[in-house]
Amino acid sequence: MNVPTNSLVRAKMPLEMLLRSFFIATISSKKFLLIPALKLLSFFSKPGRSYLFNVDRNPVLHGILKKTFYNQFCAGESKQETKACCKSLTDLGFKGIILTFAKEMVFDHRNKAPEAPAEQAAKAETAATHDPVVEEWRVGTLATVDMIEKGDILALKTTGGGPAVGEAFHRGELPPQQMMDALDEIATKCKERGIQIIVDAESQYFQKGIARTSLELMRKFNREPTVVIYNTYQAYLKNQPKYLQQHLAEAEKDGFTLGLKLVRGAYILSDDRALIHDTKEDTDAAYNGIVEGALHQKLWDFGVSRPFPATNLFLASHNKHSLITAQRLQAQRESDGLPTVPIAFAQLHGMSDEVGFSLLKEQCADGKAPDVFKCSTWGSMGDCVAYLLRRAVENRDAVLRTKDEFNALKKEVWKRLGFGRS
Ligand SMILES: Cc1cc2nc3c(=O)[nH]c(=O)nc-3n(C[C@H](O)[C@H](O)[C@H](O)COP(=O)(O)OP(=O)(O)OC[C@H]3O[C@@H](n4cnc5c(N)ncnc54)[C@H](O)[C@@H]3O)c2cc1C
């Protein structure tokens, strides 16, 4: 495959996309613009806003957010919009799309309350055997499967199943049977269509039950030669090694393949800070340590005093250093005939195209480019606004990366205006 250089990709960007990316990069790279933007997004993300501040009901507010933040980071509000956006992303050279239905609940540690829309909470009161919120999530998720192709990936935000599901997750339990049936139906359909599934990691309040649920799905669906399910592990958590060791032990005992999607973690703003590593350096060391261990098939006592279970590694990150180092290590070990695990990569839509394209220029042991995916979210503005807030926070934290992105986009805008060198 011919991989365009990063500047060529920007040169091919439609004008609207270029200007929008430049607008977002301008806000993200200037503190005095980003702080009010974050405050506004945080305000809009709270449920139960009046008409004036309701992002779904107020058409002016909806239009402004749609043309800016939404279109930068999300795929669409309808099937048609979403499919068109997915195509435009794969046309850029990525292996495929990871698509999520945006419905979720975020637990704000400071407010001690899951931020589910008010009507959902009311519906949960009446949910006994048939929960309409689970049904809505099931239908939305199956619609998501219909928007993607063989080889693409479905990502699940399982708290989208609503308060009854969230409560079970918080207790560390599997969700109600209706949700388990929905997950089974979705996984079966995906397996038939050659689509893999990633279960996203969410707020710590829910995470115990989410991880338990995806473990059960891996146990059932990750039987050789297919890996259908990936669970997400958040390296920024101090206790993450404990969970990963438990899951490796389960995979070893029951003979299934562990789908190990590794992220640093996105809920630093809302989760209990004490659970998260004290410094960014500690999070980086945890992330890179797990990657290196998996690629050497030596993690804790796995691969040392006991077998290393079959594992597929999926690195979801914008950290170029972590990803390029991992890719080169994996390729080196494969060409040296040393034990290692399969690896794939993903970045979020609207972020770090530079990183994705740099990866695509790397070579695997067979001479091919690595598998790099672009991950996007679809859903109504109201459902996507918490997601948008997390992306804005990440841009705030990735100061160097957003500055580089801003400078590169500025150069391209200047060139098109006739001021720059071609
Ligand atoms: C395709 C994809 C899927 C994702 N899915 C999920 C998911 O399911 N669940 C989820 O939680 N996140 C998810 N994320 C987001 C991810 O967890 C990170 O928030 C985001 O990618 C930024 O981290 P990074 O590795 O890209 O790079 P970097 O910019 O190198 O790292 C930033 C991250 O470091 C950590 N960090 C920053 N400051 C500190 C500090 N002071 N102390 C300790 N740690 C710190 C935080 O995790 C922060 O997000 C996903 C990301 C991608 C690309």
Side-chain angles (χ1 to χ4, degrees):
M1 182 183 50
N2 248 345
V3 179
T5 63
N6 299 345
S7 56
L8 272 180
V9 172
R10 274 189 299 274
K12 283 200 320 192
M13 273 183 173
L15 186 64
E16 191 187 331
M17 192 196 267
L18 177 71
L19 292 177
R20 191 178 56 236
S21 300
F22 182 54
F23 172 74
I24 299 289
T26 306
I27 293 184
S28 305
S29 59
K30 313 265 180 260
K31 246 188 177 157
F32 70 96
L33 294 174
L34 187 60
I35 288 168
L38 280 173
K39 286 204 166 128
L40 270 179
L41 276 178
S42 174
F43 175 78
F44 293 139
S45 72
K46 304 277 182 285
R49 291 280 171 229
S50 64
Y51 173 84
L52 195 60
F53 300 114
N54 185 307
V55 293
D56 281 323
R57 287 163 64 207
N58 179 334
V60 178
L61 186 57
H62 179 273
I64 294 171
L65 281 175
K66 181 85 187 255
K67 285 270 171 208
T68 52
F69 286 96
Y70 185 97
N71 283 348
Q72 179 71 9
F73 298 112
C74 299
E77 291 189 89
S78 65
K79 185 172 178 175
Q80 204 183 11
E81 277 179 14
T82 305
K83 283 191 93 159
C85 177
C86 290
K87 185 173 178 316
S88 73
L89 291 174
T90 41
D91 282 352
L92 289 173
F94 294 102
K95 163 104 174 160
I97 290 294
I98 304 173
L99 191 62
T100 324
F101 179 42
K103 213 169 241 320
E104 65 174 321
M105 283 192 290
V106 175
F107 180 82
D108 193 322
H109 169 74
R110 293 154 306 175
N111 302 340
K112 305 266 183 248
E115 295 182 347
E119 70 270 20
Q120 279 196 6
K123 280 179 193 170
E125 303 263 299
T126 57
T129 47
H130 184 82
D131 185 336
V133 191
V134 172
E135 179 57 12
E136 195 186 327
W137 181 84
R138 186 189 73 89
V139 170
T141 304
L142 287 171
T144 315
V145 181
D146 288 338
M147 293 177 202
I148 52 180
E149 309 290 334
K150 182 177 178 187
D152 287 336
I153 300 174
L154 172 76
L156 298 179
K157 290 234 179 310
T158 42
T159 59
V165 171
E167 278 158 25
F169 283 160
H170 176 56
R171 293 192 298 270
E173 294 170 4
L174 295 176
Q177 193 55 42
Q178 188 190 344
M179 183 70 175
M180 286 307 284
D181 292 344
L183 286 166
D184 201 271
E185 181 187 356
I186 292 159
T188 304
K189 184 168 178 181
C190 285
K191 187 174 178 184
E192 282 164 12
R193 287 201 47 214
I195 288 170
Q196 290 181 310
I197 295 178
I198 283 173
V199 180
D200 279 348
E202 305 185 44
S203 309
Q204 278 316 288
Y205 187 80
F206 305 115
Q207 198 45 40
K208 227 174 171 180
I210 295 175
R212 190 168 163 201
T213 306
S214 37
L215 182 64
E216 292 319 312
L217 291 171
M218 286 196 283
R219 206 188 302 278
K220 175 164 180 189
F221 288 94
N222 288 4
R223 298 287 167 182
E224 293 273 13
T226 5
V227 173
V228 182
I229 312 285
Y230 284 87
N231 182 45
T232 304
Y233 301 86
Q234 294 161 309
Y236 71 3
L237 292 175
K238 291 176 181 165
N239 69 1
Q240 199 55 223
K242 185 179 120 197
Y243 285 103
L244 187 48
Q245 284 178 59
Q246 277 172 8
H247 286 198
L248 281 163
E250 291 289 327
E252 182 199 357
K253 176 169 72 73
D254 276 355
F256 62 88
T257 303
L258 188 79
L260 197 175
K261 174 192 160 201
L262 190 64
V263 298
R264 280 183 168 77
Y267 295 82
I268 198 164
L269 206 64
S270 51
D271 267 347
D272 181 355
R273 189 64 184 82
L275 300 175
I276 295 172
H277 283 303
D278 299 338
T279 64
K280 167 81 163 71
E281 289 69 32
D282 289 348
T283 298
D284 288 345
Y287 191 94
N288 296 332
I290 294 171
V291 175
E292 207 189 314
L295 290 175
H296 281 97
Q297 293 201 353
K298 277 190 184 15
L299 262 176
W300 304 290
D301 53 344
F302 297 95
V304 181
S305 56
R306 62 202 286 189
F308 193 90
T311 298
N312 277 22
L313 189 59
F314 204 108
L315 300 185
S317 170
H318 305 127
N319 187 305
K320 194 168 169 180
H321 174 74
S322 292
L323 301 187
I324 300 281
T325 308
Q327 166 55 31
R328 290 185 182 165
L329 175 61
Q330 205 268 0
Q332 189 60 51
R333 287 188 71 80
E334 275 213 334
S335 36
D336 292 348
L338 295 168
T340 190
V341 300
I343 191 169
F345 303 91
Q347 287 77 50
L348 297 172
H349 171 197
M351 292 179 76
S352 300
D353 287 346
E354 299 273 323
V355 176
F357 286 112
S358 299
L359 271 170
L360 286 170
K361 282 189 243 160
E362 294 287 312
Q363 272 193 354
C364 298
D366 60 6
K368 291 189 187 149
D371 291 346
V372 186
F373 291 79
K374 210 67 183 160
C375 178
S376 195
T377 290
W378 81 280
S380 72
M381 183 69 71
D383 283 341
C384 287
V385 79
Y387 174 83
L388 290 174
L389 177 63
R390 289 201 297 279
R391 301 296 76 85
V393 170
E394 275 160 20
N395 274 338
R396 176 196 67 185
D397 292 343
V399 181
L400 209 64
R401 201 165 54 221
T402 38
K403 280 230 159 72
D404 285 352
E405 209 128 329
F406 169 75
N407 288 331
L409 288 162
K410 185 172 151 191
K411 206 164 147 195
E412 179 61 26
V413 171
W414 248 225
K415 204 164 89 187
R416 293 207 198 174
L417 289 172
F419 297 127
R421 281 181 287 128
S422 60

